[in-house]
Amino acid sequence: MANVVLADSHSIYRLGLKTYLKSTTYNVIGEAGSFAELHDVLEEKPCDVLFYDCYLPYGELLDSLLRLKALQPNMKIILVTYTQFFHINQERIRKIIDGVCLRTCEFNDVLKTLSSFDKSHDAMIA
């Protein structure tokens, strides 16, 4: 069972994803609505997968991703965004994240992306 942390400033999005993941083999071990909260959660609870809202209050996206990877280098990061072209074309960000989750995707697509981590490094939700 993989441990998952949900970091999103929209509590309704976190609730929906958490509720869905309860019916899978993925265990939500923490939630955060800001970068400060997320940093505290990750210091206490190592996770396998992080759903990370690209608009999470903090500042610059690249800097926050680098800090998170330094904190937990083996953690997979799925960037949550409204558009598939947001930031994923920036080479440095693309090298850090492991997937993109569009807010408009179906829950089954989320599960396919999580499952793909067992098969390959690169995962994308369309």
Side-chain angles (χ1 to χ4, degrees), residues 81-126:
T81 183
Y82 288 100
T83 172
Q84 66 188 22
F85 301 109
F86 179 82
H87 289 301
I88 62 174
N89 292 327
Q90 293 183 17
E91 191 60 30
R92 291 186 70 196
I93 290 173
R94 191 70 191 120
K95 287 180 180 178
I96 298 169
I97 65 173
D98 299 285
V100 175
C101 179
L102 300 179
R103 290 197 184 273
T104 57
C105 75
E106 299 291 327
F107 283 126
N108 288 337
D109 293 329
V110 172
L111 193 55
K112 287 178 193 173
T113 295
L114 288 169
S115 298
S116 74
F117 289 142
D118 297 332
K119 301 174 184 110
S120 72
H121 172 75
D122 194 27
M124 183 71 73
I125 294 178

Side-chain angles (χ1 to χ4, degrees), residues 20-87:
Y20 173 72
L21 291 175
K22 282 183 180 179
S23 67
T24 70
T25 60
Y26 296 91
N27 181 34
V28 177
I29 60 166
E31 295 181 53
S34 70
F35 184 81
E37 289 175 18
L38 174 60
H39 196 271
D40 290 345
V41 167
L42 293 178
E43 279 189 331
E44 295 177 21
K45 302 175 182 178
C47 74
D48 302 304
V49 180
L50 168 66
F51 281 85
Y52 185 70
D53 177 7
C54 66
Y55 291 112
L56 195 66
Y58 169 67
E60 206 273 321
L61 180 61
L62 178 60
D63 183 51
S64 65
L65 290 170
L66 290 170
R67 288 182 63 191
L68 294 172
K69 272 299 198 180
L71 191 60
Q72 290 194 26
N74 297 321
M75 171 180 64
K76 302 289 186 186
I77 298 176
I78 298 175
L79 193 66
V80 179
T81 183
Y82 288 100
T83 172
Q84 66 188 22
F85 301 109
F86 179 82
H87 289 301

